[in-house]
Amino acid sequence: MLPLLDRLKSDEALMQAYQAGDAGAFECLYRRHKDSLFAFLYQHCPRPAIVEELAQDTWMAVVDRAASYRPEAGFRTWLFRIAHNRQVDFWRRRDNRHQPLPDETGQLSSADPAGPTEEEILAAVGQLPGEQRDALLLREQGFSLAEIAGICGASEEAVKSRLRYGRGRLREILGEAA
């Protein structure tokens, strides 16, 4: 169990403590954000082994780049920016940018007349252009337009547009599947 004082500190204060050599501060940051980071990465690629690798790469990058962190950038935004870049690199490397991956059994889910399943929604999200997919998934994680813009390196207006077009394209894809 982490000390109460560490649990009450802001992410930015914890990151500064980690920069000063407090390993416990990193542990607190990790515990706070590991689940939401995993969920974000999982929405991009529903293969646990790949997600675990991307999450590990992200946390290693946090360790490697700790000295360059500046508290003006919120820690959570900075963390998800790193994760975003890691998953972009993964999709480029694998040449899977717009193709959903099958689940662990190698099967894509079948259509359900009652509505799209979670797997069908994830597959549909996987068919979106990368910028739209990223904007939708970050918004789903609770990031504001400004935070998404910072993570993706775009303007807030571009993020709004990506969200609008992404939602419209999802409706089209899921409508076609029904």
Side-chain angles (χ1 to χ4, degrees), residues 26-97:
F26 179 83
E27 181 182 348
C28 188
L29 287 167
Y30 176 78
R31 286 181 185 216
R32 278 186 192 175
H33 298 287
K34 68 182 174 90
D35 292 337
S36 63
L37 179 68
F38 190 90
F40 169 71
L41 292 168
Y42 186 80
Q43 290 174 330
H44 280 82
C45 175
R47 304 268 314 264
I50 294 170
V51 171
E52 288 171 12
E53 180 182 334
L54 291 171
Q56 182 178 1
D57 287 349
T58 299
W59 286 110
M60 290 304 299
V62 168
V63 170
D64 292 343
R65 297 179 185 172
S68 68
Y69 172 76
R70 299 291 172 254
E72 299 81 43
F75 175 79
R76 189 167 186 259
T77 302
W78 185 68
L79 173 67
F80 276 73
R81 172 77 182 210
I82 293 170
H84 167 78
N85 290 340
R86 293 289 188 241
Q87 66 88 18
V88 165
D89 291 344
F90 166 78
W91 286 108
R92 284 183 183 150
R93 202 172 50 241
R94 306 274 293 189
D95 198 27
N96 287 328
R97 285 176 272 187

